Amino acid sequence: MSEVLAQLMAQAAREGSNIATMRAIAEEAGELSAMRALKRLGLGDEEAQGDLAALRELLGAWRDAKRSAWKAAAGWLLRIAGALLLTGLAMKLGFRAWLE
C-alpha cells in the first residue's frame, strides 16, 4: 500500500471519515490500482508512452493498408465485370464476325 493511502486510512480511523478524506482515499486507491495494472502489463516504465505511441502508429498503418487493399480488390473486380460485360455485348452484337 502506498504511504499516502496508508496515512489517509489512519487519518480516517483516527478522526472519523469525512467526505474529503473518503474522496482522497478513493483517489489514491484508484491510482495505486492503475499503477499495479500497468506494471503487470509491462507498461509501468517510462518507455511505455513511446511504446504505445509506436503501437498506435503501427495500427493506423495497418488499417490504412487494409483499406487500400480492399479498394484495390474492389477496383479490379469492377474492371473485370466491365470487361466481361463489354465482351458479352460485343458477341451479342456480332462483333465476333469482324474479328475473323
Side-chain angles (χ1 to χ4, degrees), residues 5-79:
L5 184 57
Q7 289 172 357
L8 287 169
M9 296 288 283
Q11 178 185 346
R14 240 186 357 256
E15 301 171 8
S17 55
N18 60 17
I19 190 71
T21 305
M22 295 302 290
R23 189 171 285 161
I25 289 172
E27 187 175 322
E28 281 297 317
E31 189 172 327
L32 183 63
S33 298
M35 290 307 294
R36 280 185 188 166
L38 287 173
K39 283 181 183 177
R40 285 181 185 161
L41 292 172
L43 298 172
D45 59 356
E46 291 160 11
E47 295 176 1
Q49 187 175 4
D51 293 344
L52 285 176
L55 283 173
R56 284 181 179 270
E57 186 177 333
L58 184 62
L59 184 59
W62 167 254
R63 288 177 179 158
D64 289 343
K66 191 169 61 169
R67 191 177 310 119
S68 295
W70 279 112
K71 284 183 180 179
W76 276 104
L77 286 175
L78 284 174
R79 286 183 189 105

